[in-house]
């Protein structure tokens, strides 16, 4: 009896100590997040730094301090987890990217984005995989299988779309932003789909049947993932439009949008689809339909809520990557052969440079053949910027590397240890060095007059605070009478041949106005029903006009 009670007390003390340590760790991590935000604000005007690099540096410095305090045992206050990254941190970032993206610019360049993101990633994947197999077999770094080499190609083909958000601005360089960021999202999804397909198939004996099955599985996942995201977005639009939830509570509208978006991501994970593609297209559809069915208060709330969650997740990722990079356990195995680790990292960086150049410049040439307007063509300066901005590797590469080369976060096998440490080295080097130079490169290659024209136009038109939220940089539809958006322009077969994306957009716009908006709602098309968000907005606007007329205001 006494022995049992003593055992229970010991367990409770251990549990209490563990809980206390977790609370201390979370307090320290939250304090570091606050420090990253403050320093990011102070460095906002610099042409070199951005918040992702700031978080990496703070994380690395904190890791050094913890390493010294712990006597070289650990540099982390949290343990890196693929589940933490893929299930909790990545969804708000990708969803907000789809929710905030300028849809007109994105879909105008959709064919080019898919060309870069899908075909380009496959080209980079092949070059990195073949290069890694050619060089690493001569370096005697361990027993790596054909699946490992293919996984390396998928891991280092994944660009860091999170860091792209930090170094490019869609108001200053809309074409570059839509191309680089859109390609980054599709690229990440393609890399993850490739990685999952590699793990499913037995690639020790590759033949034509396996290759065809591999390709079919890839396109199946790609199409089904996109369809799931679109379906989730349309479901949210239909439910909110029909139930008019905003009549009673704007909180319910916001909560429903967030939950349905996250549900689409988790369903994709459940069915082994590309959750990145799913939640990205869910964000696009929600911004096109659902967002216009909610009240004005919910519009402002959702915009800032999604942006804040995405911002915190980005800072969290880079802060942790900086701390985790110095974890001494990862470097114990490779300490006896530092030359091999440096050599592998250098080869991987070279393959990334070559692999990206191998598709950016040829595919840009092919894309320019389909465009008649000089403004829409990708000149060599833009091509260099696109090539450079996509060289950064981030948390997606790290998560995939952990998945392939270890099951518990650390490894004692030489080949696996070298690949883990080399991945960390490539991520840190590419993010800091390439990230630091991207902003100056954009300023140098893109004339300031072109980059500031959009901002200057917005200032001279005297737009209010709510204008960018309500219009999302697209032509505003009026609830009464025809608008510029509905102007019909004839589309000939020659126009379709010269500019297929514009022709497709024309027919989609007609179908969207005639069918989709009438079912799922949207800007300026849904009928005004008593008690609906549209009716509320119209009545509020009418009351404001009447008050101004009574007060003699313009």
């Amino acid at each position: 009896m006494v022995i049992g009670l003593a055992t229970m007390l010991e367990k409770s003390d251990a549990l209490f100590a563990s809980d206390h340590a977790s609370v201390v760790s979370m307090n320290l991590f939250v304090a570091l997040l606050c420090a990253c935000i403050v320093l990011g604000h102070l460095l906002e005007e610099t042409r070199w730094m951005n918040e992702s690099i700031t978080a990496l540096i703070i994380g690395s410095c904190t890791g050094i301090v913890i390493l010294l305090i712990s006597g070289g045992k650990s540099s982390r206050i949290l343990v890196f987890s693929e589940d933490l990254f893929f299930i909790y941190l990545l969804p708000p970032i990708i969803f907000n990217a789809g929710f905030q993206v300028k849809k007109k610019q994105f879909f105008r360049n959709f064919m080019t984005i898919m060309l870069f993101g899908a075909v380009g990633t496959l080209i980079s994947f092949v070059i990195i995989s073949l290069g890694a197999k050619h060089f690493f077999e001569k370096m005697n770094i361990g027993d790596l299988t054909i699946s490992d080499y293919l996984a390396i190609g998928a891991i280092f083909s994944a660009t860091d779309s999170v860091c792209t958000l930090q170094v490019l601005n869609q108001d200053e360089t809309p074409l570059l932003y839509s191309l680089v960021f859109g390609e980054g999202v599709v690229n990440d999804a393609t890399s993850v789909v490739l990685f999952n397909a590699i793990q499913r198939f037995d690639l020790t004996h590759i033949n034509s049947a396996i290759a065809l099955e591999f390709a079919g599985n890839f396109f199946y996942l790609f199409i089904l993932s996109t369809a799931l995201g679109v379906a989730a977005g349309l479901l949210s639009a239909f439910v909110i439009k029909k139930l008019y939830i905003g009549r009673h509570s704007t909180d319910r509208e916001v909560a429903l949008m967030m939950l349905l978006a996250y549900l689409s991501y988790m369903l994709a994970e459940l069915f082994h689809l590309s959750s990145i593609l799913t939640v990205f297209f869910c964000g696009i559809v929600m911004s096109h339909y659902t967002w216009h069915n909610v009240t004005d208060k919910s519009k402002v709330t959702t915009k800032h809520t999604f942006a804040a969650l995405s911002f915190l997740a980005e800072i969290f990722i880079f802060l942790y990557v900086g701390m985790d990079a110095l974890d001494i356990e990862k470097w114990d195995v490779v300490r006896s052969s530092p030359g091999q680790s440096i050599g592998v990292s250098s080869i991987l960086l070279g393959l990334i440079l070559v692999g990206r150049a191998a598709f950016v410049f040829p595919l840009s040439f092919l894309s320019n053949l389909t465009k008649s307007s000089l403004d829409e063509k990708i000149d060599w300066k833009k091509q260099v910027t696109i090539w450079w901005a996509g060289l950064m590797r981030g948390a997606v590469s790290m998560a995939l590397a952990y998945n392939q080369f270890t099951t518990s976060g650390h490894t004692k096998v030489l080949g696996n240890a070298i690949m883990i440490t080399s991945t960390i080295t490539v991520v840190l080097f590419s993010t800091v060095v390439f990230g630091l130079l991207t902003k100056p490169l954009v300023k140098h290659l893109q004339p300031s007059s072109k980059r500031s024209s959009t901002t200057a136009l917005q200032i001279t038109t005297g737009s209010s605070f709510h204008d960018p939220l309500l219009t999302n940089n697209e032509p505003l539809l009026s609830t009464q009478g025809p608008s510029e958006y509905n102007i019909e322009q004839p589309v000939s077969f020659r126009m379709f041949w010269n500019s297929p994306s514009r022709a497709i957009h024309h027919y989609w716009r007609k179908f969207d106005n005639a069918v989709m908006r009438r079912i799922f709602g949207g800007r300026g098309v849904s009928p005004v029903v008593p008690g609906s968000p549209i009716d509320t907005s119209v009545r509020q606007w009418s009351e404001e006009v009447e008050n101004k007329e009574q007060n003699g205001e313009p």
Side-chain angles (χ1 to χ4, degrees):
M1 180 74 177
V2 175
I3 296 175
L5 183 60
T7 305
M8 290 178 61
L9 289 174
E10 288 177 1
K11 290 183 178 179
S12 63
D13 289 341
L15 183 61
F16 178 78
S18 176
D19 291 341
H20 179 72
S22 299
V23 172
V24 172
S25 299
M26 289 307 300
N27 274 280
L28 179 57
F29 209 89
V30 171
L32 290 173
L33 286 173
C34 294
C36 290
I37 293 173
V38 172
L39 284 177
H41 169 72
L42 296 176
L43 297 172
E44 181 70 25
E45 300 301 324
T46 181
R47 60 182 294 185
W48 299 95
M49 297 294 290
N50 58 67
E51 281 164 329
S52 60
I53 298 175
T54 304
L56 271 177
I57 294 174
I58 292 177
S60 300
C61 294
T62 306
I64 294 174
V65 173
I66 297 174
L67 201 62
L68 294 174
I69 293 175
S70 65
K73 293 181 179 179
S74 177
S75 69
R76 303 162 303 161
I77 54 179
L78 294 174
V79 178
F80 185 84
S81 168
E82 299 164 49
D83 292 338
L84 173 67
F85 173 71
F86 279 108
I87 296 179
Y88 300 109
L89 297 179
L90 193 59
I93 296 173
I94 303 300
F95 173 79
N96 183 67
F99 194 77
Q100 304 281 2
V101 74
K102 291 184 176 180
K103 297 183 291 296
K104 186 176 181 180
Q105 190 70 243
F106 178 81
F107 285 104
R108 178 180 293 173
N109 300 288
F110 186 73
M111 300 302 293
T112 305
I113 289 171
M114 293 302 296
L115 197 65
F116 283 170
V119 179
T121 303
L122 291 174
I123 294 173
S124 179
F125 162 75
V126 171
I127 291 176
I128 294 175
S129 297
L130 293 178
K133 188 175 188 303
H134 174 75
F135 290 107
F136 294 169
E137 283 182 344
K138 299 178 180 180
M139 296 178 65
N140 191 25
I141 62 172
D143 297 328
L144 297 179
T145 65
I146 185 65
S147 296
D148 290 330
Y149 290 120
L150 292 175
I152 289 171
I155 289 168
F156 292 100
S157 295
T159 61
D160 186 11
S161 56
V162 176
C163 201
T164 303
L165 294 171
Q166 300 281 345
V167 299
L168 291 178
N169 189 301
Q170 67 174 334
D171 292 323
E172 294 180 353
T173 54
L175 177 61
L176 280 176
Y177 183 92
S178 65
L179 288 176
V180 175
F181 172 69
E183 179 239 328
V185 173
V186 179
N187 169 284
D188 284 347
T190 305
S191 299
V192 173
V193 170
L194 278 172
F195 185 83
N196 292 335
I198 289 168
Q199 290 191 324
R200 290 181 190 178
F201 287 91
D202 180 15
L203 301 176
T204 54
H205 304 287
I206 300 178
N207 52 41
S208 58
I210 292 178
L212 287 174
E213 188 179 358
F214 184 88
N217 183 68
F218 172 78
F219 287 109
Y220 166 78
L221 291 177
F222 211 89
I223 295 171
L224 209 60
S225 301
T226 302
L228 178 59
V230 172
L234 293 177
L235 175 63
S236 68
F238 186 79
V239 170
I240 290 178
K241 176 177 179 289
K242 290 297 182 182
L243 298 181
Y244 314 127
I245 297 175
R247 285 180 300 175
H248 305 297
S249 173
T250 57
D251 297 337
R252 290 175 183 152
E253 286 184 322
V254 177
L256 187 62
M257 288 182 67
M258 294 175 64
L259 290 174
L260 284 175
Y262 190 68
L263 179 63
S264 71
Y265 185 90
M266 294 309 299
L267 283 175
E269 286 287 320
L270 178 65
F271 294 114
H272 304 289
L273 303 175
S274 173
S275 50
I276 295 176
L277 266 184
T278 296
V279 79
F280 178 71
F281 278 96
C282 180
I284 290 179
V285 173
M286 278 193 174
S287 69
H288 190 65
Y289 296 111
T290 313
W291 190 72
H292 296 286
N293 295 338
V294 301
T295 61
D296 288 342
K297 290 182 180 179
S298 295
K299 288 179 180 178
V300 177
T301 303
T302 51
K303 280 278 185 179
H304 292 294
T305 299
F306 295 147
L309 290 174
S310 173
F311 174 77
L312 285 175
E314 292 169 17
I315 301 301
F316 188 102
I317 289 172
F318 284 107
L319 180 63
Y320 185 80
V321 167
M323 296 175 62
D324 190 63
L326 295 174
D327 185 23
I328 200 67
E329 295 181 27
K330 296 179 177 62
W331 303 92
D332 281 339
V333 178
V334 300
R335 187 180 298 175
S336 59
S337 55
Q340 281 187 324
S341 183
I342 295 173
V344 170
S345 301
S346 302
I347 290 171
L348 288 173
L349 281 170
L351 290 174
I352 290 170
L353 289 165
V354 174
R356 185 156 183 84
F359 77 82
V360 168
F361 299 106
L363 294 184
S364 296
F365 173 77
L366 292 177
S367 176
N368 289 337
L369 295 178
T370 64
K371 297 178 179 179
S372 56
S373 173
L374 291 176
D375 294 334
E376 294 180 352
K377 290 189 175 183
I378 309 171
D379 57 38
W380 73 269
K381 291 183 178 180
K382 289 187 177 68
Q383 293 177 29
V384 172
T385 306
I386 292 169
W387 169 70
W388 184 267
L391 293 174
M392 289 171 281
R393 298 297 180 264
V396 173
S397 295
M398 284 191 62
L400 294 180
Y402 274 95
N403 188 296
Q404 178 68 21
F405 296 106
T406 182
T407 55
S408 59
H410 307 286
T411 181
K412 300 298 182 182
V413 180
L414 178 62
N416 292 353
I418 287 179
M419 292 313 307
I420 294 282
T421 54
S422 298
T423 302
I424 294 172
T425 303
V426 169
V427 168
L428 290 178
F429 183 87
S430 63
T431 301
V432 175
V433 176
F434 298 154
L436 281 174
L437 297 177
T438 300
K439 277 188 177 180
L441 183 70
V442 173
K443 289 178 181 285
H444 175 71
L445 293 179
Q446 304 301 316
S448 58
S449 58
K450 290 183 179 180
R451 290 186 293 104
S452 60
S453 59
T454 304
T455 306
L457 180 61
Q458 292 175 352
I459 294 174
T460 55
T461 54
S463 300
S464 67
F465 170 76
H466 292 284
D467 284 345
L469 292 177
L470 297 179
T471 62
N472 199 23
N473 297 300
E474 295 177 7
L476 180 64
L477 284 175
S478 172
T479 55
Q480 297 177 354
S483 66
E484 181 184 357
Y485 189 86
N486 292 319
I487 294 176
E488 296 295 332
Q489 296 178 349
V491 180
S492 62
F493 180 77
R494 183 174 182 177
M495 176 182 174
F496 188 87
W497 177 258
N498 293 331
S499 183
S501 60
R502 181 173 296 178
I504 292 172
H505 180 261
H506 172 85
Y507 288 116
W508 159 251
R509 190 170 59 189
K510 292 178 64 176
F511 175 74
D512 190 30
N513 288 337
V515 180
M516 299 297 291
R517 288 176 184 264
R518 298 187 182 280
I519 299 174
F520 300 104
R523 183 175 50 249
V525 176
S526 299
V528 178
V529 180
S532 68
I534 298 175
D535 176 53
T536 304
S537 300
V538 171
R539 284 191 283 103
Q540 289 175 351
W541 176 78
S542 301
E543 291 173 0
E544 290 177 2
V545 172
E546 290 178 1
N547 292 333
K548 286 184 178 181
E549 290 178 351
Q550 292 176 359
N551 296 329
E553 298 178 7

